[in-house]
Structures are given as C-alpha cells and as structure tokens.
Amino acid sequence: RLSRRTYRLLEKKAAELSLPIEVIRELHPAIVAAVFSAWKLSNMGFSVPGIDLHYLEKAKEESKPLLYLENVETHMAALFAAGSENEDEYVFSSLKDLDAAGTELITLIDEWKRGTGTTTERTVIEMAGQYPETYRIMIADRNRAWLPLIESYLASSEIEFVIAGTGHFYGPDGLLAMLAGLGYHIEQL
C-alpha cells in the first residue's frame, strides 16, 4: 500500500543495493526499513553485531546468567507493529532519511559515549509526535512492561547490567524518567 512517490523511491534504493524490487515489495514495512538501515550502517563501516551482541557474547564466555526484558515474540510483535498507522509515510521517511542518517548516527554515537542524549531525546519526542501509535508500541508500552523487571534488579543484591536501545532511556516515557518518577536517583557514570 505505497504511493507512487514512495514506490519510486523504494525502486531507486533497491536498485542501489542490487536487490530485486519483487523481493523488497513483499516485505513488511518495518523489515524494509531494517534492511535499508542495515545496508546504510554496513556502508558506513559499522558491523552488524551491535553492542548488545558484543555483551551477549562476553556474558556467554564468562558463563554469566542471562535474562531478557522481553521474549522474542513480544519483540517481533512490536517490530511488526512499527509503521502500521501509516505504512506509506513510514517507508518513505525511512528511505528518505537514509542519506541524513550518517551524520545523525555519528552524533548519536558521540552522545552515547559521553552519556548524554540530546539528539536521542529530540528524536524520541519527534517520533511520538509524528507516529504516536508506533511510539506507543515500540517505546512507551515496552518501557512500562520492562519497568517492574528493572525494579526487581535494583532491589536485588546482585549487580545486573541492562542493555536496551538508547531510545528506551530518553523522553517522557523513557526508562530514566520513569525510574526518576518512582523516586530512584539516576547518576551518570
């Protein structure tokens, strides 16, 4: 269900990847966005395994217990719900923003290293305004579901290491704001 404008852009980007449009057009909008994002990251020199997979491998090497904030089914349901409120706009903006993604990604990485989140905060707030249903499903609902588990980690005597995408930490429904709202003292290390 794409407009001609979006479909033409999809054809152009698929040709740049040498991917048959017949294959791409059968994919779910969230998967289309993920394929092109992974391609962009790869072209920028980033490896596919991110920080989450890096620490997953380290935990396995050190035989550390692993817990997850959500199961695979819940994660996939959220992913497939992404962009469902306006598939055409979701695909178009995902493809259109690929060219600017490089600059923004460098900024996000720099902020992540410094432990700040100005750009992430702005991006999350923009997402909430542009795609309220996607934001609710991808960020707000998941954060609320994770909060009791994170609180149980904070209450235990063990030290847990929680990894989530940076978008989950910032914004009005971010984990940091929710924890602070419950009276937790947040300290940047």
Side-chain angles (χ1 to χ4, degrees), residues 57-186:
E57 288 305 314
K58 286 185 76 62
K60 286 179 180 178
E61 288 170 12
E62 298 176 21
S63 300
K64 294 192 181 282
L66 296 170
L67 299 171
Y68 298 90
L69 294 171
E70 63 190 7
N71 61 35
V72 173
E73 292 81 12
T74 302
H75 182 80
M76 294 306 292
L79 178 65
F80 280 108
S84 61
E85 62 194 297
N86 189 339
E87 292 176 347
D88 183 68
E89 181 58 31
Y90 184 81
V91 171
F92 183 80
S93 65
S94 296
L95 295 173
K96 180 179 64 74
D97 294 344
L98 278 175
D99 296 330
T103 304
E104 188 167 309
L105 183 61
I106 299 303
T107 301
L108 291 172
I109 291 169
D110 183 54
E111 286 185 359
W112 179 80
K113 287 178 181 177
R114 289 180 297 143
T116 61
T118 309
T119 303
T120 304
E121 179 98 16
R122 179 179 40 81
T123 302
V124 167
I125 291 169
E126 285 174 5
M127 179 187 186
Q130 270 189 301
Y131 306 104
E133 186 65 11
T134 297
Y135 170 80
R136 182 188 62 76
I137 293 166
M138 292 296 295
I139 303 289
D141 288 353
R142 292 168 75 204
N143 287 354
R144 279 191 277 285
W146 298 348
L147 193 59
L149 185 57
I150 293 171
E151 280 193 286
S152 75
Y153 295 160
L154 293 169
S156 78
S157 60
E158 294 184 31
I159 296 173
E160 284 87 358
F161 183 56
V162 176
I163 297 175
T166 57
H168 289 284
F169 290 95
Y170 297 99
D173 299 298
L175 293 169
L176 297 177
M178 289 195 299
L179 288 166
L182 292 172
Y184 290 95
H185 174 72
I186 310 295

Side-chain angles (χ1 to χ4, degrees), residues 6-26:
T6 302
Y7 191 77
R8 280 194 297 270
L9 182 58
L10 181 63
E11 284 179 314
K12 178 184 175 212
K13 295 295 183 184
E16 289 173 15
L17 266 76
S18 300
L19 289 174
I21 191 65
E22 297 78 23
V23 172
I24 294 294
R25 72 176 177 214
E26 297 300 320

